[in-house]
Structure formats: C-alpha cells, structure tokens
Amino acid sequence: MNAARLNDDANERGSAQNHGASVGLTADKITIRGGIPLIGRIEVKGAKNLVTKAMVAALLGETPSVLKDVPNISDVRIVRGLLEVHGVKVTEGAKPGDLILDPVDVESAHFAAIDAHAGSSRIPILFCGPLLHRLGEAFIPDLGGCRIGDRPIDFHLEVLRKFGAVVEKQPNGIRMSAPNGLKGAKLELPYPSVGATEQVLLTAVRADGITELKGAAIEPEIMDLINILQKMGAIITVDTDRVIRIEGVERLLGYNHRALFDRNEAASWAAAALATDGDIFVGGARQAEMITFLNVFRKVGGAFDICDDGIRFYHPGGDLKPVIIETDVHPGFMTDWQQPLVIALTKAHGTSIVHETVYEQRFGFVDALVEMGATIQIHKECLGGHPCRFGQRNFNHSAVITGPTKLHGADIVVPDLRGGFSHLIAALSAEGTSTVSNVGIISRGYENFIGKLRLLGADFDLEG
Ligand code: EPU
C-alpha cells in the first residue's frame, strides 16, 4: 500500500470543486484490492450536519463561541470561509477539533467573495436569518450540494418572507433585506425539512415576538442545534407532534459546546464492517441517536456491542438476511444510511427493498454496483409498503436488491458524498481490483477517510 499523501495543513483553503485538497487529500483516485475484512478502531468527531449549522449560529452571538469536536472536512472549510468573508474571526483552539468563532466584527461581504467561498454547499441559505439580524441584508449565491434530487429552497424562502424578509431573485443568486426587522410568525412546513427547520430556529431566536413552527424536523442534529441556541440565551420549547415554539430574545451570547457525534459516518463504517466480513469499533458513536439503524443492522445479520466510548459493529458469521427499508425523517431510517447499507444487501440471501422517500433521486450510485455484479432494479413505484410523495411523479425511487451476489472489481466514478462512500465499500468488499475516481468529494463529510481505511487494514494505492 502506498503511503497516503495526506497533510494536515490547517491553513489550506479549497473551493468546493476541490473538496479533497481543502482537507489535505491530494489524491482523487484510489485503486483498491478488495476482499479484505476491515478490522480495527476508528474515531468519529462531530456531525457534519450539526457542526456546519453550529458555526452559523455563532454569528448570532455578541461574544465568541467555542465549538469542540469539529471534523476536518471540506464542508466545514466552506462554512469557515463564508464566516471569514463576513468578518468572523475563526481560529483553532488548544485541542485538535476545537474552533473559536468570534463574530464581534461581522460585516457585509461582496457577492464575489461569498460566491467564491460557497462552492457547492447548501449551507449559505442558513446565513440569511443571522445576517438579516446582524446587518439587515444577506446575499446567497445559487446553491449546490450533492446532486440527489431537485433540492429546492422554497420552504426556506417562504418562512423568511413570513418573518418579514424581502426576497429579491437576482441573476446570480438571491438578495434579502429586512427593512422593518424580523418578527415572530406562525409557520407550518409542508414536509419536515431539516434545513427549513434550522432556518426557522436561526431566524426566530432573535426575531421580535413568538414563533410557532408546525411540521418541524426533529433530527438529533436539530436537537443539538437547539441545545446550542439555548446555551446562547434562546428560549425554545419542543412540543409533541413536531411543534417548536421560540420566544425571540434581544441578545444572544457565544456558546461553548461539544458537537453531537456524526451518526452518518458511524453508520457508514458499520455498513463497511458488515459488507467486508469485518469488525470495526467506532469510537464516539452512541446508541440513542442510532436506534433505528441498529435495529435494521441486526435484522440484516450484523452484530454490535454498545460500549461507553463507542459501538463495535461486526459480521458475526452466518448468512446475511434481506430487509425492507423505507427511508424517512427522524425517527425513521435516515436517507443517508441507505447507500452504504445497500452493499451488504447485495450479499444477503433473498430480496431486499429500499424505498427512498426523502430524496427523489438517490439511487444514481447503483449503476456502478450493477457493473460490479450486483442485481439491483430501480422502480418508479413506491415498493416499501406506504405510498410516498414521489409515487405518482415518475421518480426512480425504489430499489429491489436480489442476493447473494459476488461483487467484482471495476472502474467506478463517485457520484455524490454518500453514494461515494458506498462505492468505496463496494470496492473493498469486491473480489479483485477496483479503481474509484472522484474520491475527493468524500472529504466533504468523512474526515481523514484514507487514514481510517489504512488503520482498518484496507489494501489500496492513491493516484493524483
Ligand atoms: N425540500 C423542499 N423544499 C425546501 C427544502 C427541502 O422541497 O425548501 C425537500 C427536499 O428536496 C427533500 C426534502 O425536502 O426532498 C428533505 O430535505 P431537507 O431540507 O430535510 O434536507 P437538507 O436540509 O437539504 C439535510 C442534510 C442531508 C440529509 C437531509 C435529511 C445537511 C447539510 N444536509 O439536508 O444530508 O440527507 O437533511 O436528513 O444537513 C448528507 O449528509 O449527505 C446529506 C445529504
């Protein structure tokens, strides 16, 4: 195995198009010799889908915030860059993974600077509420993110308008202003969107009056964002039935917070252990936020031991079993968990169904698996048992996986973040050699995945 060309240059900035370089990964292609069980211990840090929002929340404080367990991933780099162009001073703390965010000198940024830093991330939309409070205006460039469906921002714009924001579409993005300040509102989301719920939280905490949000998302990452906002001085009540009430306050201070662990990364390594007949201890993983995943993992035939400092995931021997999964909002089975788990399902004895109900287009990654020998058919119908909002709309959103099949090596190209990790697992579990290209995108959400693969005994070479 070649020495992975990694460096930890904390000052290196990267555009979103160059995800890997921004976190020190210079290779974009991995040649993997598969068939080796992944065995060992790795650690997961804070959740990408919390840390990036927590960084935005720091904009609302009058004093600096300290965020702990921040992973070195390119999505964090993008948000850091965006905060810096708005005058937030971001420095590393004494311990690895600590970030200090000082928002005292927040200022407007030029469109070109925002655009250059936003890259393909969707996080800029969440800057709107805090910037409207701080500066009275905000600009967001056209948004990116993984290509896993249309990923519109209509819910975001609708709730911002209800708070009193004036939204103007411009050729290269959206400009917002709040000439009369932002006021609490009665809101209801048509779907429990994670991002739109965060938008409401980040805007309502400093709006004038009370906000009631019905149909809110209640993912653990959202609950941790609420923990952070409460530390800052916000008053937020989470009621039953997806109702969140926020009493706006006049000032918020900085926070000191250790981020919730990344349960998507933990589930990805768990799936890698199962698919490679391996045994991986994921340090930092916790049971409470993974209950739904653990149930499915056990039903497929995986085993786990819950420990104080993490969770051990392993293949206990015997045949893997087929399952029927419907992805859903929390507390359902997360959409981000299906792609890695599908590789284990190609090895299960029987027919599995995965009905994707969160994103309409999240099976782009299976073409490569079919090329590697998997038997997977994609259908437009809702096959999981419950009709979903994509059922009558011609979206390829149900997968039928028939196993067991032996995967063989192939040349594959990573399409998106979670699909990319799934491709890595496929190559690691396949017989023979695979070349996986465009792996830089995986650095958006998986810290030092090359180093972790090496720790777990994978056999691979990197190419520029
Ligand atoms: N939606 C709309 N309009 C909107 C917003 C969302 O129609 O204005 C739809 C989306 O198109 C999608 C559904 O609502 O069909 C759910 O989207 P949601 O807003 O919940 O997703 P998100 O906030 O854009 C976050 C994570 C995703 C994760 C989803 C679901 C971040 C940065 N991203 O996305 O993570 O899959 O919630 O849990 O937090 C990933 O990590 O790879 C990833 C894609």
Side-chain angles (χ1 to χ4, degrees):
M1 179 171 67
N2 269 2
R5 283 185 285 149
L6 296 168
N7 68 64
D8 292 324
D9 180 358
N11 296 316
E12 203 178 324
R13 299 272 181 285
S15 73
Q17 283 71 33
N18 193 8
H19 304 285
S22 64
V23 290
L25 171 66
T26 53
D28 203 43
K29 201 185 261 189
I30 307 186
T31 302
I32 295 176
R33 288 168 287 280
I36 297 176
L38 295 187
I39 297 173
R41 174 177 177 135
I42 49 101
E43 307 295 322
V44 292
K45 284 215 193 95
K48 164 179 92 69
N49 292 348
L50 174 269
V51 163
T52 44
K53 323 318 171 42
M55 291 170 73
V56 178
L59 270 173
L60 290 161
E62 288 177 17
T63 54
S65 291
V66 180
L67 185 59
K68 296 173 182 161
D69 265 356
V70 178
N72 186 13
I73 53 175
S74 54
D75 271 17
V76 164
R77 289 312 177 107
I78 288 171
V79 180
R80 180 178 177 160
L82 280 168
L83 287 169
E84 285 171 341
V85 299
H86 285 97
V88 179
K89 227 181 275 157
V90 185
T91 47
E92 269 95 42
K95 294 211 178 116
D98 285 5
L99 268 196
I100 301 161
L101 305 123
D102 183 348
V104 173
D105 296 322
V106 167
E107 60 191 13
S108 292
H110 290 294
F111 160 71
I114 299 173
D115 197 37
H117 281 83
S120 62
S121 170
R122 280 175 66 78
I123 305 294
I125 185 80
L126 294 177
F127 277 65
C128 293
L131 286 180
L132 286 172
H133 284 305
R134 291 292 306 254
L135 304 170
E137 63 170 5
F139 181 84
I140 47 159
D142 287 331
L143 296 173
C146 285
R147 267 172 268 121
I148 51 178
D150 261 357
R151 304 195 76 184
I153 55 166
D154 50 338
F155 303 165
H156 294 254
L157 299 183
E158 190 56 28
V159 294
L160 284 163
R161 281 193 188 101
K162 289 206 168 131
F163 280 111
V166 177
V167 178
E168 284 169 71
K169 295 204 172 140
Q170 295 185 341
N172 40 12
I174 295 172
R175 186 178 177 275
M176 281 183 217
S177 54
N180 303 312
L182 298 175
K183 298 199 171 39
K186 266 191 177 282
L187 308 166
E188 180 158 8
L189 293 176
Y191 182 82
S193 153
V194 168
T197 301
E198 292 159 344
Q199 182 75 263
V200 171
L201 289 168
L202 291 166
T203 308
V205 284
R206 288 241 1 241
D208 183 15
I210 293 176
T211 296
E212 179 189 82
L213 174 64
K214 288 187 178 159
I218 49 165
E219 268 64 8
E221 292 78 14
I222 289 176
M223 294 302 134
D224 209 32
L225 181 62
I226 292 176
N227 292 338
I228 289 171
L229 293 168
Q230 188 178 52
K231 284 180 177 177
M232 297 176 80
I235 300 173
I236 303 172
T237 314
V238 182
D239 288 350
T240 48
D241 297 334
R242 300 189 177 277
V243 178
I244 299 181
R245 259 174 255 278
I246 304 121
E247 287 179 41
V249 295
E250 271 181 20
R251 53 190 304 239
L252 294 169
L253 299 176
Y255 63 81
N256 186 324
H257 190 76
R258 183 170 300 285
L260 173 75
F261 79 99
D262 197 316
R263 64 201 177 110
N264 291 343
E265 184 181 357
S268 301
W269 290 114
L274 194 56
T276 64
D277 291 335
D279 187 337
I280 302 180
F281 189 94
V282 181
R286 292 198 318 226
Q287 180 180 18
E289 292 80 9
M290 296 195 72
I291 285 179
T292 309
F293 177 83
L294 293 169
N295 286 336
V296 173
F297 191 76
R298 177 169 277 158
K299 284 207 251 179
V300 177
F304 53 85
D305 299 335
I306 312 280
C307 304
D308 288 347
D309 59 340
I311 304 179
R312 173 188 172 209
F313 297 95
Y314 56 102
H315 191 315
D319 291 344
L320 296 186
K321 296 179 276 287
V323 283
I324 294 178
I325 303 171
E326 279 187 309
T327 65
D328 207 345
V329 294
H330 188 77
F333 189 89
M334 277 202 84
T335 169
D336 302 297
W337 295 337
Q338 58 98 343
Q339 299 90 333
L341 201 67
V342 160
I343 311 303
L345 298 182
T346 67
K347 295 167 190 292
H349 288 245
T351 300
S352 297
I353 293 174
V354 180
H355 180 203
E356 171 60 59
T357 78
V358 179
Y359 291 112
E360 67 273 29
Q361 235 173 283
R362 227 179 176 181
F363 284 119
F365 72 101
V366 304
D367 292 349
L369 306 183
V370 170
E371 205 185 312
M372 295 174 81
T375 307
I376 304 178
Q377 286 160 335
I378 303 295
H379 296 266
K380 292 184 169 51
E381 292 78 11
C382 297
L383 294 184
H386 302 98
C388 78
R389 64 210 161 105
F390 305 136
Q392 301 302 318
R393 292 171 52 202
N394 248 355
F395 291 121
N396 283 320
H397 72 295
S398 292
V400 177
I401 304 132
T402 310
T405 45
K406 275 201 163 131
L407 300 185
H408 52 76
D411 289 350
I412 51 182
V413 182
V414 163
D416 59 60
L417 174 62
R418 306 292 168 198
F421 199 87
S422 165
H423 284 181
L424 279 186
I425 300 175
L428 289 159
S429 67
E431 275 178 9
T433 301
S434 298
T435 304
V436 189
S437 311
N438 199 26
V439 291
I441 207 168
I442 298 173
S443 304
R444 275 192 54 198
Y446 294 87
E447 182 180 50
N448 187 21
F449 68 94
I450 294 292
K452 290 177 185 174
L453 285 176
R454 196 195 291 118
L455 264 178
L456 296 171
D459 183 8
F460 62 91
D461 297 311
L462 299 175
E463 281 175 52

